[in-house]
C-alpha cells in the first residue's frame, strides 16, 4: 500500500506466508516500510520508482520494528471520521440521505440530546445518536450507509486528514449515484491527500482517471494477488476488462500537486 503523509510517499509491503497447520507467528509475517520525499516536480510514478529501488534486497524483517516507523502518523484516526455537530455537516448529511432515499423529508438536530439527529419521513422518524441509528431496521442498507458516506465526504471537504478510506459503502446503491459521489470526493480532495476507494462497480473504470489509480484483486488457484492496471491498460478500459478476470478493485488516488 502506498500513501501520502507530510509530503512523503510511504510504502507498506506486507507478506503473510502460509501455514500448513493454520497457526501463525511473527515468523510468518514480513513487513517492510520505506518512504521518499515528494519533491516539487515529482509525480506518483517518479516517487514510486524510487520506492521500487529501495525495496530491492529486502527479505527478512522484524515487523514490530518496521511498524514503529509509522508511530508519528495518525493511523488510529484516519478511518474514523465521526459525526460533526454543526450546520454544515447536517446540511451535507440531509442531502446525502435524500439522494440515497427520496422518501426522506428532512434531517434535523435534536437539541435535547447530545450528538443526536432525527431523520423525518412521511410516516416515520429515525433517531441517530453518536453516529448510530436507534431503529435502523426501518431503512434500507444503502440509506444506512449514507451516514458513513456523509462523514467521509465532510472530512474530505474540510481537509481534516491526508488519507481517506472508503470501503464498499455503495454496495446497495445505483451505479450512477456511486459515480456521482466518487466524483464529488475527487473534486474536493485537497493537495497532497489520498483516497483509497474499494468497489465492485466496473463502471467506475470509465472515469477519466490515471491508469495507476486502479488496482485489482485477482483470485487464481486459491491465491489472491494484486494486479496493477498500469500493466494492462494501454489505450482504453475495455483492454483491462478483458485482460483481468476480477470481481473487486480498488482506486488509489494520489493528489500530489
Amino acid at each position: 500500500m502506498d500513501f501520502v503523509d507530510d509530503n512523503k510517499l510511504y510504502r507498506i509491503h506486507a507478506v503473510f506466508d502460509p501455514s500448513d497447520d493454520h497457526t501463525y507467528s511473527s515468523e510468518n509475517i514480513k513487513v517492510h516500510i520505506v518512504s521518499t520525499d515528494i519533491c516539487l516536480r515529482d509525480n506518483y510514478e517518479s516517487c514510486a520508482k524510487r520506492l521500487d529501488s529501495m525495496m530491492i534486497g529486502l527479505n527478512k524483517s522484524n515487523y514490530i520494528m518496521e511498524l514503529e516507523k509509522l508511530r508519528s502518523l495518525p493511523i488510529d484516526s484516519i478511518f474514523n471520521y465521526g459525526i460533526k455537530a454543526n450546520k454544515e455537516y447536517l446540511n451535507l448529511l440531509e442531502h446525502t440521505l435524500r439522494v440515497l432515499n427520496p422518501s426522506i423529508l428532512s434531517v434535523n438536530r435534536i437539541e435535547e440530546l447530545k450528538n443526536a439527529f432525527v431523520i423525518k419521513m412521511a410516516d416515520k422518524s429515525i433517531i441517530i445518536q453518536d453516529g448510530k441509528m436507534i431503529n435502523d431496521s426501518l431503512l434500507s442498507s444503502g440509506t444506512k450507509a449514507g451516514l458513513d458516506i456523509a462523514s467521509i465526504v465532510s472530512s474530505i471537504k474540510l481537509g481534516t486528514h491526508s488519507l481517506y478510506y472508503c470501503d464498499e459503502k455503495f454496495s446497495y446503491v445505483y451505479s450512477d449515484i456511486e459515480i456521482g459521489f466518487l466524483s464529488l470526493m475527487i473534486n474536493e480532495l485537497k493537495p497532497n491527500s489520498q483516497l483509497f476507494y474499494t468497489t465492485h462497480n466496473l463502471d467506475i473504470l470509465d472515469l477519466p482517471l490515471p491508469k495507476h489509480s486502479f488496482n485489482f484483486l485477482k483470485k487464481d488457484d486459491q491465491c489472491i494477488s494484486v494486479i496493477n492496471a498500469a500493466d494492462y491498460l494501454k489505450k482504453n478500459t475495455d483492454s483491462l476488462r478483458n485482460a483481468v478476470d476480477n470481481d473487486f478493485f480498488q482506486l488509489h488516488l494520489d493528489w500530489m500537486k
Side-chain angles (χ1 to χ4, degrees), residues 83-87 89-91 93 97 106-111 113-120 125-135 147:
I83 300 294
K84 288 80 174 175
N86 56 57
K87 184 177 180 181
Y89 172 77
L90 192 62
N91 182 58
L93 177 62
L97 294 180
S106 64
V107 179
N108 301 299
R109 185 175 178 179
I110 302 176
E111 299 295 340
L113 298 175
K114 184 178 180 180
N115 293 328
F117 306 88
V118 57
I119 301 173
K120 292 187 177 181
S125 296
I126 296 93
I127 304 297
I128 306 171
Q129 188 167 20
D130 294 326
K132 296 182 179 180
M133 294 186 182
I134 306 302
N135 45 349
L147 277 180

Side-chain angles (χ1 to χ4, degrees), residues 28-215:
N28 300 93
I29 304 172
K30 297 182 179 66
V31 176
H32 296 287
I33 299 174
V34 294
S35 64
T36 183
D37 291 330
I38 302 172
C39 300
L40 182 62
R41 297 185 180 279
D42 269 331
N43 55 28
Y44 174 77
E45 284 81 2
S46 62
C47 290
K49 187 175 181 179
R50 292 200 295 270
L51 294 183
D52 290 340
S53 64
M54 297 168 68
M55 296 295 298
I56 296 175
L58 296 181
N59 293 313
K60 296 183 179 180
S61 70
N62 182 316
Y63 78 93
I64 295 178
M65 294 183 63
E66 286 293 296
L67 292 176
E68 284 289 323
K69 298 177 181 178
L70 300 179
R71 181 177 289 274
S72 61
L73 301 180
I75 299 298
D76 292 337
S77 63
I78 58 176
F79 302 144
N80 181 20
Y81 306 106
I83 300 294
K84 288 80 174 175
N86 56 57
K87 184 177 180 181
E88 290 76 16
Y89 172 77
L90 192 62
N91 182 58
L92 192 150
L93 177 62
E94 177 176 331
H95 282 80
T96 297
L97 294 180
R98 291 181 69 180
V99 167
L100 298 174
N101 188 342
S103 65
I104 291 176
L105 301 178
S106 64
V107 179
N108 301 299
R109 185 175 178 179
I110 302 176
E111 299 295 340
E112 296 80 9
L113 298 175
K114 184 178 180 180
N115 293 328
F117 306 88
V118 57
I119 301 173
K120 292 187 177 181
M121 307 174 75
D123 56 345
K124 55 191 173 186
S125 296
I126 296 93
I127 304 297
I128 306 171
Q129 188 167 20
D130 294 326
K132 296 182 179 180
M133 294 186 182
I134 306 302
N135 45 349
D136 60 359
S137 61
L138 299 177
L139 292 178
S140 66
S141 297
T143 308
K144 283 185 281 188
L147 277 180
D148 292 331
I149 294 169
S151 295
I152 294 172
V153 173
S154 176
S155 293
I156 291 175
K157 285 174 67 69
L158 294 174
T160 56
H161 299 76
S162 57
L163 177 62
Y164 303 92
Y165 183 56
C166 185
D167 185 23
E168 294 191 78
K169 298 300 182 184
F170 295 87
S171 299
Y172 302 96
V173 177
Y174 289 119
S175 172
D176 55 342
I177 294 178
E178 179 179 2
I179 291 174
F181 272 103
L182 177 57
S183 298
L184 174 63
M185 293 182 200
I186 294 172
N187 289 336
E188 295 293 338
L189 201 61
K190 302 297 186 290
N192 295 328
S193 296
Q194 284 181 300
L195 168 64
F196 285 84
Y197 188 93
T198 63
T199 183
H200 287 76
N201 181 8
L202 291 179
D203 289 342
I204 287 176
L205 283 172
D206 295 323
L207 289 175
L209 298 172
K211 60 184 180 181
H212 70 253
S213 298
F214 301 101
N215 291 288

